[in-house]
Amino acid sequence: MRFSTLGLHADILAVLDSLGYQTPTPIQQAAIPEVLAGHDVMAGAQTGTGKTAAFALPLIERHLMRETTEKAIRVLVLTPTRELAQQVHQSFKKYSQGLGLSAVVAYGGASINPQLEALNQGCDVLVATPGRLLELAIKGLIDLGTVETLVLDEADRMLDMGFIVDINRILKRLPDTRQTLFFSATFNDDVFALSKTMLKQPKLIEVAPRNQAATKVEQRFFEVDNSRKAALLAYLIGAKNWQQVLIFTRTKQAVDALTKELEKDGISSAAIHGDKSQGARDRGLAEFKTGKVRALVATDVAARGLDIQQLQYVVNFELPYNAEDYIHRIGRTGRAGQAGLAVSLVSSKEKYLLKDVEKLTGEHFNLQWQEGFEPNLLAQEETNSPSRNTSKKNLRAKALGQTGSAKAKRGKPRRR
Ligand code: AMP
């Protein structure tokens, strides 16, 4: 199936094309026609299934079809966390680029003034966490009477986090005639009870999580600025009490620099790369195996053939230029039926490498933010112009020693 069969506007199809989205994911195939038809929807879908576009695309379509250009909050998306609010906001901006839709995000724990300023400039879609939304509504700073569609994202987490009272107070301020889209990864009695109070004859949609049973390696992707990667890694190792973690970087220089950084943060580390003597490599590996050092930092080539039993944690400090290397890297954990965790730290400039990994594995991965290490999106917007992306691809081709088509020659061996 292609997006063009879903009845979306040509301008939206053009955006999807520019994003490289070719096929709608199962949740998109099922939800988009229902949302377009104006039905309430109750969908069981986890993050990573493409659920944001499943509700955003038809709502953008409705925006384009609307005759009035007057700004009013027509779509309200509620999310349990500010990280998710920021992600959904970014997704709306990404999917509606150049289409005249204005999306605003509002969440607590941050100054209300810039959020108000953005709201006052005109807002079609408001993405918000419940507490801040109520604050804005109770103070009379926003009018929720114009809302046509309410999206409740991650309803199960909302309930887990105790937002039920806030949600009920918000519902009272919304028009009864609204459309409601209800998304939840899991369904228990509480989630069903909440859905019953919110939905009218909903269409039920359920999609299977992708490849979940097939693998015991949990894969997580953190979006983080390059300059904050070492700090985030040290935080994760410390806060999660990881005792033995294998970390991959792309270059020998990066291995050395990161090893020093981790030592500074009090995390004993050893380095393995092509410029190290065999003796130094063996020593590093032995210390890592016996637990004398907690972190082993390595390049892909140096790490090949390392046999470390029952490794629980692998970190991609940088995504590899070859997507195949990603598979090799994460294959170092979850061995012999053990559960493993593979964490990737992805800067904005590496997102195209993540796309390669997604293409190779056939999976969609959701980028998450770690509180306190959120990326600076303003700086990203400045550096993400298409011309720069092209030059990044050239850079990768150069790094791989390729000329001409980088794709055609992918996989060429190189020494690092
Ligand atoms: P979500 O489940 O909404 O968090 O989306 C997970 C990831 O899948 C995001 O990085 C999206 O940009 C990406 N994505 C969503 N829909 C598609 C699609 N049809 N084709 C390719 N990537 C997609």
Side-chain angles (χ1 to χ4, degrees):
M1 185 192 258
R2 303 195 70 80
F3 276 106
S4 51
T5 60
L6 290 173
L8 295 169
H9 195 284
D11 290 351
I12 299 178
L13 296 178
V15 173
L16 293 174
D17 201 42
S18 74
L19 293 172
Y21 292 9
Q22 287 166 353
T23 319
T25 65
I27 184 80
Q28 292 162 4
Q29 293 181 25
I32 290 173
E34 303 294 2
V35 180
L36 282 176
H39 295 302
D40 279 7
V41 165
M42 177 162 170
Q46 295 185 332
T47 295
T49 53
K51 71 180 163 70
T52 316
F55 60 79
L57 297 177
L59 296 175
I60 295 166
E61 170 80 21
R62 194 166 301 147
H63 170 79
L64 291 179
M65 291 298 126
R66 198 169 283 123
E67 279 172 7
T68 169
T69 52
E70 200 186 316
K71 295 280 174 203
I73 303 169
R74 319 248 184 215
V75 174
L76 173 65
V77 185
L78 286 179
T79 72
T81 62
R82 71 173 182 179
E83 288 80 13
L84 185 62
Q86 286 167 321
Q87 272 179 44
V88 171
H89 175 236
Q90 282 305 312
S91 296
F92 261 100
K93 282 174 63 175
K94 183 167 79 173
Y95 299 139
S96 66
Q97 49 193 283
L99 302 181
L101 177 139
S102 107
V104 176
V105 64
Y107 46 77
S111 166
I112 203 166
N113 292 334
Q115 298 173 5
L116 257 183
E117 255 169 55
L119 280 164
N120 288 336
Q121 279 171 20
C123 167
D124 300 299
V125 174
L126 175 58
V127 185
T129 51
R132 175 55 55 92
L133 183 83
L134 266 179
E135 183 183 350
L136 288 163
I138 289 168
K139 288 181 177 165
L141 299 168
I142 50 170
D143 176 12
L144 296 178
T146 53
V147 170
E148 294 172 0
T149 304
L150 167 69
V151 182
L152 197 70
D153 202 3
E154 300 202 351
D156 47 354
R157 268 177 92 193
M158 295 255 200
L159 293 178
D160 285 348
M161 291 170 74
F163 282 131
I164 184 70
V165 176
D166 282 353
I167 291 170
N168 284 329
R169 290 168 77 193
I170 292 165
L171 288 177
K172 284 195 190 124
R173 293 173 176 265
L174 298 175
D176 279 342
T177 50
R178 64 166 197 274
Q179 176 186 37
T180 305
L181 311 177
F182 188 102
F183 287 81
S184 190
T186 55
F187 285 92
N188 56 28
D189 290 349
D190 290 342
V191 176
F192 271 116
L194 176 63
S195 71
K196 274 198 191 132
T197 66
M198 299 179 69
L199 298 165
K200 292 184 194 114
Q201 299 175 311
K203 299 288 174 186
L204 299 179
I205 295 171
E206 189 123 31
V207 294
R210 286 165 178 251
N211 294 346
Q212 275 224 320
T215 173
K216 282 202 164 191
V217 181
E218 188 188 347
Q219 299 169 70
R220 279 195 216 152
F221 295 79
F222 289 94
E223 185 176 6
V224 57
D225 291 335
N226 249 331
S227 58
R228 302 279 286 147
K229 279 188 174 182
L232 172 56
L233 177 59
Y235 167 79
L236 289 172
I237 292 175
K240 312 275 179 195
N241 199 18
W242 294 345
Q243 288 305 323
Q244 199 186 37
V245 51
L246 177 59
I247 303 156
F248 288 94
T249 70
R250 286 195 293 253
T251 64
K252 300 172 218 172
Q253 293 81 352
V255 167
D256 287 331
L258 180 59
T259 312
K260 280 195 198 123
E261 280 293 315
L262 290 174
E263 285 283 351
K264 268 194 228 157
D265 277 311
I267 295 161
S268 52
S269 312
I272 290 201
H273 60 63
D275 281 355
K276 293 262 175 201
S277 70
Q278 195 58 45
R281 289 196 202 194
D282 291 346
R283 215 167 30 249
L285 182 58
E287 290 179 341
F288 183 62
K289 280 184 169 178
T290 56
K292 197 167 170 213
V293 298
R294 221 165 149 183
L296 185 64
V297 190
T299 55
D300 293 288
V301 174
R304 287 232 168 99
L306 288 187
D307 183 20
I308 305 159
Q309 294 295 315
Q310 300 190 345
L311 186 57
Q312 218 178 334
Y313 304 108
V314 166
V315 171
N316 297 302
F317 188 75
E318 295 162 315
L319 283 179
Y321 283 124
N322 270 326
E324 290 84 357
D325 282 343
Y326 175 84
I327 309 276
H328 291 303
R329 289 177 176 188
I330 73 163
R332 309 221 143 254
T333 179
R335 286 194 157 179
Q338 301 286 314
L341 174 66
V343 165
S344 299
L345 308 186
V346 185
S347 70
S348 65
K349 291 184 179 169
E350 287 172 291
K351 283 185 183 169
Y352 75 109
L353 295 173
L354 179 58
K355 290 259 173 302
D356 286 355
V357 171
E358 289 183 329
K359 223 177 266 171
L360 186 72
T361 57
E363 291 183 67
H364 290 300
F365 296 117
N366 185 52
L367 282 168
Q368 65 185 89
W369 294 0
Q370 176 64 45
E371 201 167 2
F373 299 88
E374 293 89 351
N376 180 349
L377 296 176
L378 274 179
Q380 279 186 22
E381 271 172 19
E382 279 164 23
T383 54
N384 274 351
S385 70
S387 59
R388 280 180 183 257
N389 284 338
T390 320
S391 71
K392 271 185 258 163
K393 278 194 180 126
N394 290 342
L395 209 110
R396 170 174 57 181
K398 223 169 132 193
L400 293 175
Q402 297 167 340
T403 51
S405 160
K407 257 188 193 161
K409 297 184 183 176
R410 196 171 291 167
K412 187 177 169 181
R414 71 265 178 238
R415 236 183 97 72
R416 279 186 296 205

